[in-house]
Amino acid sequence: MTRHTESGRPIEPVYGPGDLADWNPAERLGESGAYPYTRGVYPTMYTGRPWTMRQYAGFGTAAESNARYRELIAHGTTGLSVAFDLPTQMGYDSDAPLAHGEVGRVGVAVDSIEDMRELFDGIPLDRVSTSMTINAPAAALLLLYQLVAEERGVSGDRLTGTVQNDVLKEYIARGTYIFPPRPSLRLTADLFAYCAAELPRWNTISISGYHMAEAGASPAQEVAFTLADGIAYVRTALAAGMDVDAFAPRLSFFFVARSTLLEEVAKFRAARRIWARVMREEFGARDPRSWMLRFHTQTAGVQLTAQQPEVNLVRVAVQALAAVLGGTQSLHTNAFDEAIALPTEKSARLALRTQQVLAYETDVPATVDPFAGSYAVESLTDDLETAALQLMDRVAELGGAVAAVEQGFQKGEIERNAYRIARETEEGERVVVGVNRFRLDEEEPYVPARSDPGVETRQRERLARLRAGRDTAAAESALAALREAAGGTDNVLPPMKRALRERATVGEVCEVLRGVWGSYVPADGF
C-alpha cells in the first residue's frame, strides 16, 4: 500500500537520481547561508553554537511564573517564552466579568506594569532573549516590557526577543482576536515602525503556522497560509510608507515540528526557499537579511496523548530532531504531561534536557544541513513547495490573505484536513500508539499539577489597589490621547506607552481601541 505524506503526496518506497532528473543544485539547493537558503540561513548553522533553547512557560500569577523562569535559566535555558492567560490574550483585565474562571489558567495574568515588573524580577533583560506569545494586544505587552527595562536602565536598543503579533492566524485558526482585520493590520504596521526606531534588535512579528497546524493544517497548508500572511504584513508595512529593507530583516516565523520527520525537514527547507524568492523577486528587497526566513519551532502539542503519557517523551524527541535537522533558529520542546495538565517542574526539566541531549550528545549539530542531497528529502522538498505554491496562488486569486480570511477560505481548508485526520485515526488507518493501537487495559494513575483557584481573587485585589493608588487624572488623560491617535493616522504606540506608564491597564487600553475600531465578529458566528 502506498503511504502518503501529511500533505497528501505519495511517498515512494525508494528514491533515486531519476526523482531529481531535472534538478539544478545551484538553483534549488545553493550554499548554506546563501540565497535561496534551502540549506539554512547561516553558513555555519549549529557548528559554532546550538540553536536557542527557548522554553514556553507561564501560569498563575507573575510571581509564580517568575519562579519557573529562574529555574529554567538555572537549568540551561537560553531564551524565555511567555505564555499569557486567555483574558490577557483577549485584552481583558482579570476583574472583567468575561475573565471569570480563566485567570491564570493557561498562562500568566498580566494586567499592568506592576505584573510585568514582577514577572521579570531578577532576570537580566539585556542578556536574556524573551519571546511573548501575544497577538491582538501585542503592542501593549511589548511596551510594558520596554517600560520595565527602562526602569532598570536598559535601553530599547539592548533588548532582544520576539513578540508574536500575528493576528491574521487568529482569524484562521485560533480565535484570540479583538479588533477587525484591517485595524489590526494598522496596529501591526504601527508596531513595526515603532520598533524600527525604538527597539531595533527586536523581532516585531512571529508569523505563525504552528497554531494552524494544531488546528489541523497539513504541512503544505501550514507553509502556504503562513507565508501568505507574511506577504499581507509586508504589503501593509509598505502601504504605510516603510522601506522593505527597514523592517523585513526583523520578521520571523513560527512553525510546528511533527513526528513525520522527513516531511517536516522538507517543509522547513521549502518554506525558506519560497520566502527568499518572494522577498527578492516580488518585493524587490536588496538586503540579504530580508530574504532570510528565520523561525522558531515548537514540538507538536496536538500529537501528544493523555494515554500512556510517557510515550510522549519519544514523540517529542523525534519532533525536536526534525526541527534541528530542518534548521530551526530556536526550539521549544513540549513536556510529556501537557496533554493532561500544566507541566510539572520535573517534566519541564526533562523537556529541556531533550534539547540538550540533541545539542551535546549527538553528532547532528556537527555538520550543516545533514540531509542535503538526499534523494528522498530533496524530492519531498520539491513536492511540498509545489503544493504550497498552489495554495498561495489560490489565496492570491481571492484577493490576498485578508480577503481570503474574510471569505473563510483558510479556515475551511484547515477544517477539512482536520476532519480527514480525525476520520483516519478513528478508522485505524492512522496509527496513534496507545490510542487506537498498543493500548493498555488499564492506565496507570497520573497526578497532575493543579492550578491555584485563588489566583483570580489575588489579581482582582491587586487591580483594586493599583486603581486606588494611581493618578487617575493622568491615566485618563493618557487614555484620551490614545483614543485620539486611534481615530486618526498617528502611530498609536507612543500614547499607548504613556498610558501604560501612568498605570493604565491592558484591559483599559484595549477597551479604548475597541471603542474606536470595534470588535471582530466572524460571519459564521464561531
Side-chain angles (χ1 to χ4, degrees), residues 186 481-490 492 512-513 516-517:
R186 179 256 177 105
L482 173 62
R483 184 178 296 108
E484 183 178 356
T489 58
D490 289 347
V492 299
V512 165
L513 298 181
V516 178
W517 295 339

Side-chain angles (χ1 to χ4, degrees), residues 18 21 36 69 91 94 131 171 175 220 288 292 304 322 381 390-391 413 422 438 454 460 465-466 483 501:
Y69 296 157
S94 296
S131 173
Y171 306 110
M292 296 179 184
L304 303 186
T381 300
Q390 289 171 347
L391 284 167
E413 291 292 301
F438 313 113
R460 285 173 172 268
R465 290 195 298 271
L466 177 139
R483 184 178 296 108
R501 184 188 289 114

Side-chain angles (χ1 to χ4, degrees), residues 43-239:
T44 58
M45 289 305 291
Y46 314 131
T47 60
R49 67 176 182 87
W51 57 93
T52 300
M53 298 179 193
R54 189 185 296 285
Q55 289 302 106
Y56 184 50
F59 55 91
T61 64
E64 292 172 295
S65 294
N66 175 263
R68 177 62 60 87
Y69 296 157
R70 288 173 181 246
E71 178 201 347
L72 286 169
I73 291 171
H75 286 297
T77 291
T78 52
L80 298 175
S81 187
V82 183
F84 295 95
D85 69 358
L86 280 176
T88 304
Q89 293 180 51
M90 300 293 290
Y92 292 109
D93 290 331
S94 296
D95 58 358
L98 287 174
H100 179 60
E102 293 293 342
V103 177
R105 288 181 64 89
V106 299
V108 62
V110 176
D111 296 318
S112 71
I113 192 171
E114 293 185 355
D115 291 324
M116 191 64 81
R117 286 189 193 115
E118 194 163 53
L119 185 62
F120 288 98
D121 181 45
I123 294 173
L125 300 185
D126 56 343
R127 298 200 302 272
V128 171
S129 172
T130 301
S131 173
M132 291 189 278
T133 303
I134 194 74
N135 294 283
L141 275 299
L142 176 57
L143 290 171
L144 288 176
Y145 187 84
Q146 183 188 13
L147 285 167
V148 169
E150 289 175 349
E151 290 176 349
R152 300 183 191 173
V154 178
S155 59
D157 60 0
R158 294 164 63 195
L159 296 176
T160 61
T162 303
V163 65
Q164 192 161 98
N165 190 33
D166 175 15
V167 74
L168 286 178
K169 66 94 174 45
E170 298 296 328
Y171 306 110
I172 295 170
R174 194 160 174 268
T176 60
Y177 42 70
I178 300 176
F179 319 112
R182 297 182 192 277
S184 292
L185 284 177
R186 179 256 177 105
L187 184 56
T188 298
D190 282 358
L191 191 148
F192 284 1
Y194 178 85
C195 288
E198 301 289 334
L199 289 87
R201 300 174 64 195
W202 196 269
N203 295 318
T204 51
I205 192 167
S206 178
I207 306 162
S208 175
Y210 181 87
H211 303 94
M212 299 184 205
E214 293 285 280
S218 70
Q221 290 174 335
E222 180 190 358
V223 169
F225 298 152
T226 303
L227 299 192
D229 285 354
I231 289 169
Y233 292 126
V234 171
R235 286 181 175 152
T236 298
L238 293 174

Side-chain angles (χ1 to χ4, degrees), residues 466-477:
L466 177 139
R467 292 190 176 108
R470 71 187 179 187
D471 184 334
T472 302
E476 289 180 351
S477 173

Side-chain angles (χ1 to χ4, degrees), residues 2-12 15 220 263 380 382-388 390:
T2 302
R3 291 191 60 175
H4 290 78
T5 66
E6 293 290 292
S7 299
R9 319 283 281 198
I11 302 177
E12 301 299 331
Y15 288 88
E263 186 179 15
L380 288 171
D382 286 353
D383 284 351
L384 203 143
E385 181 180 11
T386 298
Q390 289 171 347

Side-chain angles (χ1 to χ4, degrees), residues 252-273:
S252 65
F253 292 80
F254 176 22
F255 293 112
V256 78
R258 301 171 180 81
S259 301
T260 44
L261 185 147
L262 295 180
E263 186 179 15
E264 290 300 283
V265 172
K267 177 188 78 179
F268 298 131
R269 294 160 65 81
R272 278 194 294 267
R273 197 154 70 200

Side-chain angles (χ1 to χ4, degrees), residues 238-405:
L238 293 174
M242 298 186 68
D243 177 78
V244 65
D245 288 320
F247 66 87
R250 305 316 305 168
L251 302 179
S252 65
F253 292 80
F254 176 22
F255 293 112
V256 78
R258 301 171 180 81
S259 301
T260 44
L261 185 147
L262 295 180
E263 186 179 15
E264 290 300 283
V265 172
K267 177 188 78 179
F268 298 131
R269 294 160 65 81
R272 278 194 294 267
R273 197 154 70 200
I274 295 170
W275 187 249
R277 191 164 56 245
V278 165
M279 293 306 295
R280 190 170 81 165
E281 297 178 9
E282 183 173 340
F283 290 112
R286 292 291 172 262
D287 187 340
R289 296 175 303 162
S290 299
W291 308 335
M292 296 179 184
L293 184 142
R294 297 169 301 109
F295 63 94
H296 170 69
T297 309
Q298 180 172 336
T299 56
V302 74
Q303 291 187 324
L304 303 186
T305 65
Q307 299 91 335
Q308 301 179 48
E310 292 83 0
V311 177
N312 293 328
L313 286 166
V314 182
R315 293 186 177 103
V316 169
V318 172
Q319 293 162 359
L321 180 59
V324 172
L325 288 169
T328 192
Q329 276 60 71
S330 66
L331 177 62
H332 164 85
T333 34
N334 290 325
F336 75 89
D337 51 358
E338 288 189 29
I340 301 171
L342 287 170
T344 62
E345 180 179 328
K346 181 178 181 180
S347 67
R349 186 170 61 249
L350 280 171
L352 175 60
R353 294 290 183 255
T354 302
Q355 296 199 50
Q356 291 167 336
V357 168
L358 288 175
Y360 301 111
E361 293 190 20
T362 77
D363 57 2
V364 171
T367 184
V368 174
D369 191 21
F371 272 136
S374 159
Y375 297 129
V377 168
E378 300 297 2
S379 181
L380 288 171
T381 300
D382 286 353
D383 284 351
L384 203 143
E385 181 180 11
T386 298
L389 286 171
Q390 289 171 347
L391 284 167
M392 291 174 71
D393 287 344
R394 180 66 179 133
V395 171
E397 289 168 2
L398 293 171
V402 176
V405 163

